[in-house]
Amino acid sequence: MNTPDWVAPAFLDALPPDVRLQMLRLYRDGLRDQAGRLEPVLESVGALQAAASIAHKIAGSAGMMQDQALAQAARQLEDRLREGAPEAHGQVQDLLELVRRTLGAIERAIG
C-alpha cells in the first residue's frame, strides 16, 4: 500500500497543547486497540463480520482525525469483508501496515 504518512490536521494547532496531546493519545490508543483485535479475529467463527466492524471503527477514528488515507483503506476493507471477498484477508495486512505507519506518525507528533 503506497500512501503518504498521516500528518496531524491543522485544527489540532488551534487547541490548547494539553487538549491536542490528549486527542493524539486517544487516536493512537484507539488505533492500537482496534489493530490488535483485527488480525486475531480473522481466525474465529464469524470472522468477516467481526473484522468488518473493527475496520468500520478504524475508518471512523481516522475520519475524525482527517486521516483520509487510513479512513479510505479501512472503508474499502470493511466493504470487501462484508461482501465476503477472498482478497479481504490480504487487505487486512495492508491496513495493519498503514495503521503501524500512522501510529509512528502520531508518536512523532506527540514528541
Side-chain angles (χ1 to χ4, degrees):
M1 183 170 282
N2 191 11
T3 58
D5 284 347
W6 177 78
V7 175
F11 77 83
L12 288 176
D13 293 335
L15 299 174
D18 59 324
V19 175
R20 178 182 191 274
L21 186 59
Q22 183 180 13
M23 286 191 70
L24 288 169
R25 286 181 176 154
L26 285 170
Y27 184 41
R28 176 198 62 198
D29 295 346
L31 284 179
R32 279 185 183 157
D33 180 56
Q34 295 306 322
R37 294 173 190 228
L38 185 56
E39 202 163 21
V41 79
L42 291 176
E43 306 303 322
S44 67
V45 175
L48 295 181
Q49 289 307 309
S53 176
I54 293 167
H56 179 82
K57 291 174 185 175
I58 291 172
S61 295
M64 182 187 75
M65 292 300 287
Q66 298 180 4
D67 186 346
Q68 299 307 316
L70 183 57
Q72 181 179 0
R75 278 192 300 274
Q76 288 174 350
L77 175 60
E78 178 188 2
D79 291 345
R80 297 295 84 71
L81 288 165
R82 292 200 191 284
E83 294 165 0
E87 73 274 7
H89 286 276
Q91 286 181 304
V92 168
Q93 295 306 317
D94 291 342
L95 182 68
L96 289 171
E97 176 57 29
L98 185 52
V99 167
R100 283 189 282 279
R101 287 182 31 215
T102 300
L103 288 170
I106 294 168
E107 290 296 338
R108 288 188 297 278
I110 289 173

